[in-house]
Amino acid sequence: MIWGLSVLAILGITFGPQLWVRYTLKQNRVERPELQGTGGELAIHLIKRFGLKGVTVIEGRDWEDYYDPDTRTVSLSPSHYWKKSISAVAVATHEIGHAIQHKEGHAGFMKRQRRIKQAILIERISALVLMMTPLLFLITRIPQSTLLTVTIGAVGLLTSLWVQCINLPIEFDASFNKALPILADGYLSEEDVYAAQKVLKAAALTYVASALACLLNIGRWIMIFRR
């Protein structure tokens, strides 16, 4: 009974934020014809307003909204690119917030892309090493080889967790120091700004969800190697 409740608690803590993020975005995806424009149109307007030279807006894939500093591209999922909804304009403004960070040379943002690329490389290597651990032990029969590969794997998982955590202040800055003041500056009513605030919080907390998923992955590997 206790074990079952513990598993449910872990799953709730890990996947709860992800479900809440999607629920919040869906809840605020209701079409609002009275809004000044779609998410894509607002993003294009803000690029001109803030003089974000070289930045373009494209329609991306579902649930994939991001700003790529390498190509200076704001990618919005179809429902956020084409629709007039609170989610659409809030998410679009959040991604423009990242473009503004890029233009201003925000210290954390400028380091973020390099950290993400390094973390992805380390995580891939560590995952490969972890998968090879049983084979290496069968070949060498040396317990230390297992310890070494597990250590390398753990470093990769912890690196991924570290990157997710240090990205949080950057995401909150894009949401609450950039996007929210913009939306409150005549783009949304006071009531809609409150709704947009919840969407922006959800956009920022996607990294919390990713960090918790990473923690679950670390716990999974610990359980495997304790057997």
Side-chain angles (χ1 to χ4, degrees):
M1 180 66 177
I2 295 176
W3 171 250
L5 291 173
S6 299
V7 171
L8 287 175
I10 292 171
L11 291 174
I13 292 171
T14 304
F15 296 107
Q18 295 181 39
L19 296 174
W20 179 78
V21 166
R22 293 207 170 194
Y23 170 76
T24 302
L25 291 174
K26 282 185 176 180
Q27 190 181 38
N28 290 281
R29 277 184 171 179
V30 178
E31 193 73 26
R32 296 283 299 278
E34 73 276 14
L35 294 181
Q36 299 176 44
T38 66
E41 289 170 339
L42 177 58
I44 293 169
H45 163 75
L46 293 176
I47 287 170
K48 295 176 182 177
R49 174 182 168 182
F50 291 98
L52 304 175
K53 295 181 180 179
V55 177
T56 57
V57 184
I58 64 170
E59 178 188 358
R61 293 185 290 184
D62 284 333
W63 298 107
E64 288 191 9
D65 301 278
Y66 60 86
Y67 169 69
D68 185 345
D70 292 334
T71 61
R72 293 182 180 272
T73 302
V74 172
S75 177
L76 300 174
S77 58
S79 61
H80 293 153
Y81 186 91
W82 294 108
K83 281 192 174 184
K84 289 184 178 182
S85 69
I86 299 300
S87 282
V89 298
V91 170
T93 311
H94 172 86
E95 299 308 333
I96 289 295
H98 285 310
I100 294 173
Q101 288 175 332
H102 192 187
K103 178 187 176 182
E104 294 176 347
H106 185 284
F109 179 83
M110 300 307 287
K111 294 176 182 177
R112 182 177 79 158
Q113 203 68 7
R114 185 175 73 250
R115 289 168 177 164
I116 290 174
K117 289 178 180 177
Q118 290 172 345
I120 289 173
L121 178 61
I122 293 171
E123 190 176 0
R124 285 176 178 172
I125 292 172
S126 64
L128 180 62
V129 170
L130 280 171
M131 286 189 290
M132 292 175 60
T133 298
L135 178 62
L136 289 173
F137 177 72
L138 286 174
I139 294 173
T140 63
R141 295 290 180 178
I142 302 174
Q144 287 80 1
S145 65
T146 302
L147 178 61
L148 177 62
T149 53
V150 170
T151 301
I152 294 172
V155 167
L157 294 172
L158 290 171
T159 299
S160 178
L161 177 62
W162 172 71
V163 169
Q164 302 292 356
C165 290
I166 62 176
N167 277 338
L168 278 176
I170 302 165
E171 293 298 314
F172 276 101
D173 178 72
S175 279
F176 300 109
N177 294 335
K178 302 290 189 297
L180 195 60
I182 291 172
L183 292 171
D185 187 25
Y187 292 97
L188 293 177
S189 67
E190 187 175 340
E191 183 180 351
D192 286 339
V193 167
Y194 177 73
Q197 187 174 8
K198 292 194 292 185
V199 173
L200 290 169
K201 186 183 294 183
L205 289 180
T206 53
Y207 280 85
V208 173
S210 297
L212 290 172
C214 185
L215 273 175
L216 180 65
N217 202 20
I218 291 172
R220 183 170 64 86
W221 280 107
I222 290 173
M223 292 297 293
I224 289 172
F225 287 107
R226 283 185 63 184
R227 291 174 183 173

